[in-house]
Amino acid sequence: MLGYRRFSDSQLVDEIKSGNEDALLSMYKQYFTMVKSFILKNNGTEDEIEDVFQDSLIAVWRNVNKKDFTLTVKMSTYLMAIVKNLWFKQLKKKTRFTVVDESLQEKILADDVKTDHLDHSLIHDMVAELDETCKKLLGYFYFDGLENKVIAEKMGFANTDTVKSKKYQCFKKLETAVKDKYSKEDFFR
Amino acid sequence: MNQDQHTYELIDLYLRGELIGEDLDLFKIKLREDEGFLRQVQLQKAIIQHVQQAREADLRTIFDKKKKRRGAIIPFNRRVLSVAAVILSITAFGMILKMFLPADLLSDQSTTTPQEEVLTQTEETPTVVDTMISNRPADEEEVEDEEVTVPEIAMVEDDEVPDQSVLSTDADDDISRLKEEEDLLDGRNIEAKKDQLLTTRQIIPMVYSFEVKAPAAASAEADVETVDETATKATKKEGDSKDTQKVAQANTERAEIANVPVQRPGTQVNVEYWRSIVNFTGYSYNGTKLKLFQVPPDARLKIVVYQNKTYLKWEGAFYQLLQTDEYETFVKVKDAEVLKVIGP
């Protein structure tokens, strides 16, 4: 009825690697009931299902796009392993009444470079104001982890060199906007 | 590739953990010795973090769209099923009435068979009854057909009107109730009574605190001129005999540092912008999700945390966000001490 295509496991991997967001939607539809059932059986509420499921799908999306990723089990098994992991982590947090930062990027980017002193809300606003092409390009590269070749195909760039230079231009544009908007004294508190 | 782009690529590789060998060693040395370079790396890391967050939020909007579609489809399915159920119920009800009700009515009046009753009730019209009897065919099926028509006559001519009215009222009530249910299940009606989610956004709160760093930890930070460095310099100049004076000086400087709030990013808050059907202006906050009502999605907001309390900055004013399960109205912060730290 919804018209979403149902992918096989290998198709899902291929589609995610090519940055096709329909694959995420397909997984969402295909596995929602399974995840819902698991969360509800394990002391979860209706409200919590959505968050855990979305986090898990995004984790799958990012993991599949890693260079050395190979799916060795069924996609449902793989997804459920992530769901269980995230959910039990969350249950642990709930029982301890503490809040832990879930951001994935800290695990990826160099930990020894501290950015706490920077005004993050200002950078957030500048990223939000970036033009769509640059936002997509940088997002595909830094979040999705898509290869330059895939980005070139998705965005209609001539080749990977174009992607590289365009990525640099976008980054500089963003960096300049941040620096221009706020004086150095204000920015580096 | 110019020098700037080369540096950018190099930093990129380092941040993603892909810089190795001698290049990595050289990079780390430069990071320690060149403060400008360190700041460049810090800024690049921060920008990448926010690009990642923006993309993640973007992907989540796909799910939100899906969720809305799912929400819209379920009532539609229910409506179709309900309509089908109503039709089936009415049909079944009608059949039951037709098949069983006359028998009940007859059993209340007498124990005679339908044919006998026809004979007793149609005394005033003997010719009709005679015709019916005389024309009765031998075939059993046709006899049964005739029998079906008899109770209908009996119902019309029955004197027990109150019973019939009760029955018809029940049926009418049933139908009107089903119609009401059908109306309630109409997607348009439901939508009109709901609050509307306009958009979602992620905001990283800034946590304000007064921190004094321990000597060992502070000296490890290259980008901050710490008290301990000052204390160490003092030691070199004045010698061991002036330990007491040195410690006092360091403590004074610590106190000065402690008067300046330190900011660090907190845990991301998912902010939902809602249009309230009853024009409620306020919020609901559970620590990770903030639902704002009647706050325009393009409003510039900031969330800050100070002394374990969360505040929302909107249109230049601060409002404390209480973590409850209830919907709260915005209450302006007036505490000058708090505003001094988190404002303007």
Side-chain angles (χ1 to χ4, degrees), chain A residues 67 105-113 141-142, chain B residues 8-21 23-24 27-28 41 44-45 48 52:
Chain A
K67 281 175 190 168
Q105 56 272 14
E106 282 298 331
K107 293 166 195 162
I108 294 163
L109 301 177
D111 285 340
D112 55 342
V113 177
F141 186 79
Y142 287 116
Chain B
Y8 159 76
E9 297 286 357
L10 207 63
I11 295 172
D12 219 34
L13 286 174
Y14 173 72
L15 291 174
R16 286 189 282 126
E18 291 176 13
L19 201 61
I20 48 168
D23 288 342
L24 178 62
F27 189 94
K28 283 189 173 177
V41 176
Q44 191 155 325
K45 181 182 175 183
I48 292 170
Q52 289 175 330

Side-chain angles (χ1 to χ4, degrees), chain A residues 4 55 105-106 112 175, chain B residues 14 40 49 52 60 69:
Chain A
Y4 288 118
D55 287 347
Q105 56 272 14
E106 282 298 331
D112 55 342
E175 188 190 53
Chain B
Y14 173 72
Q40 178 63 32
Q49 283 177 330
Q52 289 175 330
R60 283 181 195 278
R69 280 184 196 172

Side-chain angles (χ1 to χ4, degrees), chain A residues 35-160:
Chain A
V35 173
K36 181 181 174 180
S37 164
F38 169 78
I39 302 285
L40 293 179
K41 276 181 191 166
N42 287 278
N43 305 318
T45 62
E46 291 275 352
D47 290 343
E48 289 163 324
I49 297 165
E50 196 67 39
D51 289 341
V52 174
F53 191 30
Q54 286 191 16
D55 287 347
S56 306
L57 286 175
I58 286 172
V60 170
W61 178 264
R62 297 192 74 180
N63 289 347
V64 170
N65 278 313
K66 284 178 184 167
K67 281 175 190 168
D68 51 353
F69 178 84
T70 317
L71 188 68
T72 52
V73 290
K74 280 172 71 179
M75 183 57 93
S76 57
T77 313
Y78 182 68
L79 173 69
M80 280 312 290
I82 292 174
V83 168
K84 283 175 186 173
N85 194 20
L86 284 177
W87 177 242
F88 289 134
K89 239 190 228 179
Q90 198 161 317
L91 275 182
K92 216 173 175 183
K93 272 191 286 171
K94 275 165 81 177
T95 52
R96 286 181 186 174
F97 298 102
T98 52
V99 179
V100 178
D101 193 355
E102 276 296 328
S103 55
L104 295 164
Q105 56 272 14
E106 282 298 331
K107 293 166 195 162
I108 294 163
L109 301 177
D111 285 340
D112 55 342
V113 177
K114 305 294 175 198
T115 62
D116 301 355
H117 59 294
L118 300 176
D119 192 335
H120 284 263
S121 61
L122 304 185
I123 304 173
H124 178 276
D125 289 347
M126 289 297 99
V127 172
E129 286 172 17
L130 196 63
D131 67 82
E132 276 307 307
T133 309
C134 279
K135 211 190 282 182
K136 272 190 178 171
L137 172 54
L138 294 175
Y140 288 154
F141 186 79
Y142 287 116
F143 185 80
D144 297 17
L146 297 184
E147 291 176 16
N148 285 342
K149 190 183 162 193
V150 177
I151 297 175
E153 283 166 8
K154 261 184 93 72
M155 301 195 70
F157 294 138
N159 50 42
T160 55

